[in-house]
Amino acid sequence: MASTTEIELTGPKSGEDAPTRVLTIDEPRRIGTLHPEYPKDLEFRAKWRKNVKDKEEHTEHIIEKFQWTHNEARGIIIRDKGWIQPIPGYVVCCCNNSCQDVSIILGIFILLYAFYAGWYAMTWYFFLELENDALWLFFGLFIGYFLTVFATVFSGYVDSEALAREEEAREAAAKKATA
C-alpha cells in the first residue's frame, strides 16, 4: 500500500494569518488561482487545442459553425498593428486627443465647477438669510450624513456576522450528524 506524503504550502510571513493549503505529493501544484474548476478548465483547453491540431471532426464542425479561423480556434488573436487601432479620420489636436475629445473634457470640467459654484452660492445664500440658524442646519445635515453612513456600515457588519454564525451552526450540525 502506497502512502501519500503531505506538503503544507504557506505564503510569506506578513504578520497576518494566511490560509494554508495541504497538497498530496501526487496532486499537481497549480498555485496562483482560487478558481475551484481551474484544473478542469486547463484540461478542457488542452483537449480543445489537441482536437484543433488533430482536426477532430466535432471540433471542426464547431469551428465551421462559428466561422473561426484555425488561429482563432487555437486561442490566438491576430491583430493588424497591435491592440489599439487608430480611428479613420481621427485628427490629433492636443495631448493625443482630437478637438472633439478636448471639448468634451473641458465641457465636463466646466459643468463640474459650475455645480461647485452653485453649491457654494446656495450655502452662502442660506447663511445670509438664516444667519446662525444656517450653521445649525448645516451641522444637522452633517450629523445626519454620518449617521446614515454609520447605519449602513453597521447593518452590513451585523448581516455578515449573522451569516457567519449561521454557517458555523450548519458546520456544527453537520459534524454532529457525522459523529
Side-chain angles (χ1 to χ4, degrees):
M1 182 194 280
S3 66
T4 60
T5 306
E6 292 184 355
I7 300 172
E8 184 175 344
L9 300 175
T10 60
K13 303 296 181 196
S14 63
E16 299 177 7
D17 290 73
T20 59
R21 184 170 168 222
V22 177
L23 300 173
T24 63
I25 213 71
D26 300 325
E27 184 180 1
R29 286 162 180 72
R30 293 186 176 99
I31 301 172
T33 181
L34 296 177
H35 180 51
E37 303 296 319
Y38 187 66
K40 290 180 185 175
D41 289 347
L42 285 178
E43 291 168 12
F44 173 79
R45 286 189 215 118
K47 182 180 175 191
W48 174 263
R49 288 188 186 108
K50 182 182 180 305
N51 289 346
V52 169
K53 185 178 180 183
D54 296 343
K55 298 189 184 287
E56 193 264 340
E57 184 179 332
H58 179 69
T59 307
E60 289 292 317
H61 175 70
I62 293 172
I63 292 170
E64 188 177 306
K65 177 182 173 185
F66 289 107
Q67 299 176 354
W68 293 335
T69 65
H70 279 276
N71 281 335
E72 289 173 329
R74 287 178 33 220
I76 300 171
I77 301 173
I78 305 297
R79 303 265 184 219
D80 290 335
K81 296 178 184 175
W83 288 98
I84 300 173
Q85 296 290 320
I87 299 171
Y90 190 85
V91 179
V92 175
C93 173
C94 176
C95 302
N96 288 332
N97 293 313
S98 69
C99 292
Q100 180 185 8
D101 294 339
V102 170
S103 59
I104 289 171
I105 293 167
L106 290 176
I108 290 172
F109 272 119
I110 289 169
L111 287 174
L112 176 68
Y113 285 110
F115 173 77
Y116 283 154
W119 179 263
Y120 288 121
M122 180 191 69
T123 55
W124 182 252
Y125 172 76
F126 279 133
F127 176 69
L128 291 179
E129 289 297 315
L130 302 175
E131 295 176 359
N132 288 338
D133 293 337
L135 294 176
W136 287 109
L137 174 71
F138 298 148
F139 179 71
L141 291 173
F142 174 78
I143 296 297
Y145 168 76
F146 277 100
L147 287 175
T148 304
V149 170
F150 173 77
T152 303
V153 171
F154 186 73
S155 66
Y157 173 74
V158 169
D159 290 344
S160 65
E161 281 295 313
L163 289 173
R165 287 196 179 109
E166 288 175 11
E167 182 67 28
E168 289 173 0
R170 273 188 292 230
E171 289 175 3
K175 282 184 182 179
K176 278 187 179 179
T178 59

